Amino acid sequence: MASLAIETGHQEIHDLERNGHAEKAQWVLNAPEPPSLWQELTGSVRETVLPHARRFPTVKDKGSLSKTVISFLHAIFPIFCWCRNYKATNFKNDLLAGLTLASLCIPQSIGYATLAKLDPQYGLYTSVIPPLIYAVMGTSRDIAIGPVAVVSLLLSSMIPKLEDPEANPILYRNLVLTTTFFAGIFQAAFGLFRLGFLVDFLSHAAIVGFVAGAAIVIGLQQMKGLLGITHFTNKTDVISVMEAIWRAVHHSWNPHNFILGCSFLTFILITRFVGRRNRKLFWLPAIAPLISVVLSTLLVYLTRADKHGVMIIKHIKRGLNPSSVHQLQFNNPHIGEVAKIGLIVAVVALTEAIAVGRSFASIKGYHINGNQEMVAMGFMNILGSFTSCYVATGSFSRSAVNFSAGCETAMSNIVMAITVIISLELFTRLLYYTPIAILAAIILSALPGLVDLHEAYNIWKIDKLDFLACAGAFIGVLFASVEIGLLAAVTISFVKIIIISIRPGAEVLGRLPETDIFCDVDQYPMAAKNPQVLIIRVKSGLLCFANANFVKEKIMKLATEEEEGSKGKRTIQVVILDMSNLMNIDVSGITSLVELHKNLASSGMELAITNPKWQVIHKLRVANVVTKIGGRVFLTIGEAVDACLGAKMAAV
């Protein structure tokens, strides 16, 4: 009688546990229907078109209307947020940072304009309007806006294929301005329609390789100014550039240009070394380029070195940015190619700017709005194209100077722009005798920071496929062209995604001692496997046509290997598929699950499913898969193990 009572008690406990498991399983099976495709699309469009709608109160009276307008203005123009608490001490720091920034920006802007094959004043124009617009619309406090080396290289390498800058400089300039307009349109669209994910197709590894390759190409192209070469190749691959340098060295180079450029390049690099050793002298490397321009200009003027072969800038147009609305070439036969170049430049410029902004924001502990940054960059380039500016973005070297100078807000960009305006009005005549070799030296001095060997080594250590994208971009830019380098990087990144998607891994899980936690037995050797149950988790967020067959065969292979490892004895009774990683499933994935169930059943094993996500369980119910597998759907792996083994024991 006593043994019967104990047995009855155990049976009651077992029944209670089964009822508890069944109740929790019903939580999974009876979940409400997820949002339909139409609801998801309309919600996405609403969030895209009116992203700030939830913040705004319902307009019922004048007070709420004014709050709505103010909230909208704060969202579009962040300057209204930070200017309310702006103090004199903030302006003091921003004034110092802006003046320091201008001392570096003026010579660099002239140099980058020549790199883009434009007249020098266009670099200065680009340092006026875009920084002012960004200060009003941007969310970064530290980023310094203006022309940059990589974008200048992109323009000078791609647009000459449409129009020769030497044969027709006016049409070339107009195409550059039109490209700037398209780049701004694409950037603004990315931000307004929340398409920032498109920028992410250029991965961090690809950017590291691309920028390093571009830096070497830019450096080699500066040999034209450093050696005083009059005729140089328009190609950007390293072999063509080296051939042009080799021919020039044997015929038409001028040693005076080389000596002058190398002397001031050495001076700039020494000041940079001193500035890094002593943080209090941060201003020294910042003003070194301006000092170089002033001293070299005086030297050429006093010695009349231009009469002895030293190449000089000559005329720089005086005055503020002229309107360029009528110079945009929308009827040009190459308009499609110009738009394509604008898209490429937009993505590269955004990637660099957002990376720079986020790096300094993380140091100071504030957040930048990625979509608002894209909108700000887009509008500043659109309006810049109307005012004789070419593509502007955030410069890492100048942003570092801005940060080191103690900037507080984007007001430092406004101070820099005003300083450039004063220079355009008063000092352009003084730059007539500035040697081109100095501009080459200034650009060369900025290039070592673009070649990040340490980061490339880290990429190699962490992810070999990422390093392959990095190397592909580097080699493509160096030995083919800028476009080939970008295409190689994006292609390798896509191939990586495809490989991971179509051949996802699968891991066998075991229970950690004295816990209900199930982990990969290879990662956690102490995790114990149940000889009667095989628990598998697929390492993929999507079970679809591309990987469904592979996943099915992988699971069958694991089940077969476990059976063979048990020396011919059939021990595995249940295969539990942990779906906690799986975000969605398509018809091919559902079909593969049904086939997997049949294959396991023919081998004397059952299939159970745990923790399916909302969309997944909804589709499994609609396809009647839950019924086909005997309703074995559970909330957790532990419940699945207990329920399946309990059912087997009860059957016995």
Side-chain angles (χ1 to χ4, degrees):
M1 291 290 293
S3 61
L4 181 61
I6 293 172
E7 185 177 344
T8 304
H10 284 199
Q11 183 64 37
E12 289 176 354
I13 293 172
H14 180 67
D15 290 341
L16 287 172
E17 288 179 349
R18 288 187 62 187
N19 291 335
H21 294 331
E23 182 182 355
K24 291 179 181 179
Q26 290 303 312
W27 295 350
V28 180
L29 294 171
N30 295 330
E33 286 195 11
S36 65
L37 178 61
W38 174 250
Q39 289 173 322
E40 289 184 350
L41 287 174
T42 53
S44 177
V45 170
R46 190 184 301 114
E47 179 65 23
T48 296
V49 177
L50 296 171
H52 306 290
R54 292 183 181 179
R55 300 187 204 169
F56 301 153
T58 305
V59 181
K60 295 180 179 178
D61 52 37
K62 293 182 178 179
S64 62
L65 177 61
S66 62
K67 289 180 181 179
T68 301
V69 172
I70 291 171
S71 298
F72 179 78
L73 290 176
H74 284 176
I76 302 300
F77 304 108
I79 190 173
F80 290 127
C81 294
W82 58 260
C83 71
R84 290 179 300 175
N85 301 318
Y86 199 70
K87 299 176 182 177
T89 52
N90 300 128
F91 180 71
K92 178 184 175 183
N93 293 332
D94 285 335
L95 179 64
L96 175 63
L99 293 174
T100 307
L101 199 55
S103 67
L104 176 62
C105 166
I106 292 170
Q108 275 196 353
S109 297
I110 295 172
Y112 291 149
T114 59
L115 176 60
K117 294 182 169 60
L118 295 168
D119 292 335
Q121 65 267 20
Y122 287 97
L124 296 175
Y125 294 157
T126 307
S127 297
V128 175
I129 300 299
L132 291 175
I133 296 170
Y134 181 84
V136 174
M137 299 186 69
T139 59
S140 173
R141 305 171 195 168
D142 302 278
I143 198 168
I145 299 297
V148 297
V150 173
V151 170
S152 300
L153 173 68
L154 277 170
L155 294 172
S156 65
S157 64
M158 300 174 77
I159 297 181
K161 296 175 182 178
L162 308 178
E163 192 62 50
D164 190 344
E166 295 181 2
N168 197 341
I170 294 176
L171 185 54
Y172 173 81
R173 177 205 62 196
N174 293 347
L175 290 180
V176 170
L177 295 175
T178 309
T179 301
T180 302
F181 174 81
F182 279 113
I185 290 292
F186 284 122
Q187 289 172 333
F190 291 161
L192 289 172
F193 297 105
R194 303 308 191 255
L195 300 176
F197 65 90
L198 295 175
V199 178
D200 295 332
F201 283 127
L202 269 182
S203 65
H204 173 69
I207 287 294
V208 169
F210 171 76
V211 170
I216 294 173
V217 170
I218 292 168
L220 289 173
Q221 286 193 333
Q222 296 317 298
M223 294 298 105
K224 176 184 178 182
L226 205 61
L227 298 174
I229 303 170
T230 52
H231 299 289
F232 204 69
T233 180
N234 284 329
K235 296 181 179 179
T236 58
D237 63 284
V238 67
I239 296 174
S240 299
V241 174
M242 289 297 292
E243 286 178 351
I245 294 172
W246 182 256
R247 286 195 301 269
V249 166
H250 287 79
H251 295 93
S252 59
W253 75 291
N254 187 293
H256 298 101
N257 286 280
F258 184 73
I259 293 169
L260 189 65
C262 287
S263 300
F264 282 99
L265 175 60
T266 304
F267 166 70
I268 294 171
L269 293 177
I270 289 173
T271 58
R272 182 170 297 170
F273 176 77
V274 172
R276 286 178 179 173
R277 294 294 295 271
N278 189 344
R279 294 290 183 183
K280 293 181 180 179
L281 297 176
F282 69 88
W283 51 269
L284 186 58
I287 66 169
L290 187 61
I291 293 173
S292 301
V293 168
V294 172
L295 292 179
S296 63
T297 303
L298 281 173
L299 185 63
V300 171
Y301 175 74
L302 294 174
T303 61
R304 296 294 178 185
D306 57 309
K307 304 295 184 184
H308 301 282
V310 173
M311 298 171 64
I312 58 175
I313 291 177
K314 297 183 179 178
H315 178 69
I316 296 181
K317 189 177 179 181
R318 178 188 173 190
L320 295 178
N321 301 38
S323 173
S324 56
V325 174
H326 299 296
Q327 296 169 6
L328 300 179
Q329 300 285 306
F330 296 120
N331 295 323
N332 191 283
H334 302 297
I335 191 66
E337 288 295 314
V338 171
K340 185 189 79 171
I341 296 170
L343 175 60
I344 294 171
V345 171
V347 171
V348 173
L350 276 180
T351 304
E352 181 173 358
I354 292 175
V356 171
R358 283 176 178 166
S359 63
F360 288 107
S362 65
I363 293 172
K364 284 192 173 181
Y366 66 92
H367 173 71
I368 66 170
N369 185 328
N371 287 311
Q372 180 62 27
E373 286 293 291
M374 295 179 193
V375 173
M377 296 279 172
F379 275 95
M380 79 182 189
N381 280 317
I382 292 170
L383 295 177
S385 69
F386 298 158
T387 53
S388 300
C389 304
Y390 76 97
V391 181
T393 188
S395 163
F396 187 83
S397 61
R398 292 197 295 276
S399 298
V401 168
N402 197 28
F403 173 80
S404 300
C407 70
E408 297 278 352
T409 65
M411 181 63 73
S412 59
N413 273 292
I414 298 175
V415 173
M416 178 196 72
I418 293 172
T419 307
V420 175
I421 290 172
I422 295 171
S423 301
L424 278 166
E425 287 288 351
L426 303 178
F427 303 129
T428 52
R429 286 186 180 181
L430 302 179
L431 297 173
Y432 183 91
Y433 288 99
T434 301
I436 291 176
I438 292 303
L439 302 181
I442 290 170
I443 294 174
L444 284 168
S445 69
L447 299 182
L450 299 179
V451 182
D452 197 342
L453 295 176
H454 178 70
E455 186 61 23
Y457 177 65
N458 281 339
I459 293 169
W460 165 259
K461 287 196 303 182
I462 295 169
D463 192 319
K464 300 299 186 290
L465 278 176
D466 262 357
F467 182 79
L468 189 60
C470 177
F474 178 78
I475 294 169
V477 171
L478 211 57
F479 293 101
S481 66
V482 173
E483 306 98 293
I484 296 297
L486 287 172
L487 181 63
V490 173
T491 302
I492 293 171
S493 298
F494 266 113
V495 170
K496 175 186 174 183
I497 294 170
I498 291 170
I499 290 174
I500 293 173
S501 299
I502 66 175
R503 298 183 67 84
E507 52 194 24
V508 177
L509 307 184
R511 191 195 298 261
L512 291 178
E514 300 180 4
T515 71
D516 283 329
I517 300 172
F518 290 80
C519 298
D520 182 6
V521 294
D522 293 327
Q523 183 179 358
Y524 298 92
M526 72 289 299
K529 294 191 291 184
N530 190 311
Q532 295 177 297
V533 179
L534 176 62
I535 308 167
I536 298 174
R537 180 163 58 209
V538 179
K539 295 187 285 187
S540 175
L542 179 65
L543 188 62
C544 63
F545 66 93
N547 60 18
N549 206 46
F550 176 83
V551 169
K552 180 190 70 175
E553 292 177 357
K554 182 78 173 177
I555 294 172
M556 285 303 302
K557 181 181 178 183
L558 288 172
T560 304
E561 288 175 351
E562 289 289 330
E563 284 291 309
E564 291 174 352
S566 59
K567 298 180 180 179
K569 296 180 181 178
R570 182 172 299 282
T571 59
I572 296 177
Q573 300 175 359
V574 181
V575 174
I576 298 175
L577 191 58
D578 178 17
M579 288 190 166
S580 56
N581 286 345
L582 203 62
M583 296 294 109
N584 213 329
I585 189 170
D586 69 359
V587 175
S588 298
I590 291 172
T591 303
S592 71
L593 282 181
V594 173
E595 291 175 359
L596 175 65
H597 165 65
K598 292 178 180 178
N599 293 342
L600 291 173
S602 65
S603 301
M605 292 178 274
E606 295 176 346
L607 176 65
I609 293 172
T610 68
N611 197 19
K613 300 300 183 186
W614 200 5
Q615 293 282 359
V616 175
I617 188 60
H618 173 69
K619 291 181 180 180
L620 294 180
R621 283 188 310 182
V622 170
N624 205 31
V625 174
V626 174
T627 304
K628 290 177 181 178
I629 64 173
R632 288 183 289 275
V633 179
F634 302 94
L635 188 61
T636 67
I637 299 174
E639 291 172 3
V641 172
D642 295 342
C644 292
L645 292 183
K648 289 286 183 182
M649 291 176 64
V652 173

